[in-house]
Amino acid sequence: MRAAPWILALAVLASGCSHDSKRQAKGSPAPVVTRTDSAPSSSGGPHAASKPAAKPARRAAKPKPQRARRALPWQADGLSRVVHVKVPRVAVYSSPRAKRALLVLRKRDPRGTQRAFLVRSTTRKWIRVYLPSRPNGSQGWVRTRAVRMYTNGYRVVVRLRSHKLRLWRGTKVVATYPVAIGTRSTPTPRGLFYVVELLKPHNPNGSYGPYAFGLSAHSQRLKTFAGGDGRVGLHGTDQPGLIGSSVSHGCIRLRNPAIRRLAKILPLGTPVLIRA
């Protein structure tokens, strides 16, 4: 199952990542390297001492707050599940018990791309999926009979501080690429997202490079961009000297050879985890 590289229309991606940034290029970074790679509980104060002579009990030490575990859609073997809509229209519900649909989506989006969802969990009759809509991280439920399920062994992990993208296949890192990300005023959003579409710009030497993935992520600073809804993209660039810096409106930029490789292998629904 591959994404559709035959799509010719270029979507308006949130970050737009126009290259009119005032930041100077840092120079050409190192070449691409391929490698394997709750809130604290409140314990109330002690009860009053029953005897006047008793020493007051020491207040119990509060446990250190623990970082909440992020639910990840892939298993220990690195495999995730993706569903394609197979009916003309799919109803998405807030829960299996909901009487009315949260939204109804067509089998294909306005540009003709197959509608796909990354799977969170399943039951016999229902599938919980991640949605490509605001707010980031939105989830919903679709009926099992309305979709067709596939298995995907790829995933992408982006580390913002190090400006690195790691491509995973199963349990192994098969490639590491330097990237450019959003500025402080228009940061690349963090969270768990997935590939919604693959677009092929008319000009492969333009600001988006030869290919652009549309992600389920949306800019948290730009509600709209160039007439679009502020969707974040993962795409090539015509300014490779800026790779490794923070210069975009939120999009993630790679050198063109890297985006060409990803375009050949990443299917719709591929998980994209963006971390600090």
Side-chain angles (χ1 to χ4, degrees):
M1 178 186 68
R2 293 187 177 179
W6 42 266
I7 300 175
L8 298 179
L10 172 62
V12 179
L13 301 177
S15 30
C17 296
S18 59
H19 48 275
D20 57 353
S21 173
K22 296 181 181 179
R23 181 164 182 165
Q24 298 296 321
K26 291 186 176 181
S28 299
V32 173
V33 178
T34 303
R35 51 179 293 188
T36 58
D37 180 84
S38 90
S41 62
S42 59
S43 58
H47 294 292
S50 57
K51 297 181 180 180
K55 294 182 179 180
R58 291 184 179 180
R59 183 180 296 271
K62 293 184 178 180
K64 294 182 179 180
Q66 295 181 350
R67 182 178 298 178
R69 276 189 169 185
R70 179 187 288 109
L72 298 176
W74 54 83
Q75 306 302 316
D77 57 5
L79 299 180
S80 59
R81 292 171 295 179
V82 177
V83 291
H84 285 189
V85 176
K86 66 179 184 180
V87 294
R89 295 172 183 269
V90 62
V92 182
Y93 296 83
S94 59
S95 77
R97 297 181 299 277
K99 295 182 178 180
R100 294 184 179 181
L102 189 66
L103 68 160
V104 178
L105 299 172
R106 293 180 180 272
K107 181 179 181 179
R108 295 185 179 274
D109 71 12
R111 285 172 291 279
T113 301
Q114 168 70 55
R115 186 81 64 181
F117 302 110
L118 175 62
V119 174
R120 167 72 183 273
S121 60
T122 63
T123 66
R124 188 170 64 87
K125 295 183 178 180
W126 292 89
I127 299 177
R128 189 178 185 182
V129 298
Y130 295 91
L131 300 175
S133 54
R134 292 181 184 272
N136 287 337
S138 294
Q139 298 176 29
W141 295 81
V142 297
R143 295 185 185 275
T144 302
R145 65 172 181 261
V147 297
R148 184 176 290 107
M149 188 173 294
Y150 299 88
T151 300
N152 176 21
Y154 287 101
R155 68 182 183 273
V156 170
V157 178
V158 177
R159 299 302 298 260
L160 299 177
R161 289 176 185 169
S162 60
H163 295 81
K164 296 290 185 182
L165 179 151
R166 287 183 172 87
L167 172 64
W168 289 74
R169 184 172 60 201
T171 59
K172 296 182 178 180
V173 175
V174 295
T176 300
Y177 302 113
V179 296
I181 62 171
T183 64
R184 285 189 176 183
S185 59
T186 55
T188 300
R190 291 181 290 174
L192 177 63
F193 310 106
Y194 70 93
V195 171
V196 173
E197 59 189 347
L198 173 62
L199 306 167
K200 188 175 182 181
H202 291 292
N203 179 11
N205 299 314
S207 58
Y208 291 96
Y211 291 100
F213 287 101
L215 305 181
S216 60
H218 292 78
S219 171
Q220 296 174 331
R221 299 290 178 85
L222 304 174
K223 300 304 180 184
T224 61
F225 188 89
D229 64 350
R231 174 166 287 171
V232 171
L234 171 66
H235 60 76
T237 181
D238 60 350
Q239 290 190 313
L242 294 178
I243 296 296
S245 57
S246 304
V247 294
S248 77
H249 287 93
C251 275
I252 301 166
R253 305 181 194 172
L254 297 101
R255 292 195 180 97
N256 291 343
I259 198 68
R260 286 192 183 97
R261 179 183 181 187
L262 296 184
K264 290 180 180 179
I265 61 177
L266 294 187
L268 298 179
T270 296
V272 178
L273 177 62
I274 303 177
R275 305 177 60 184

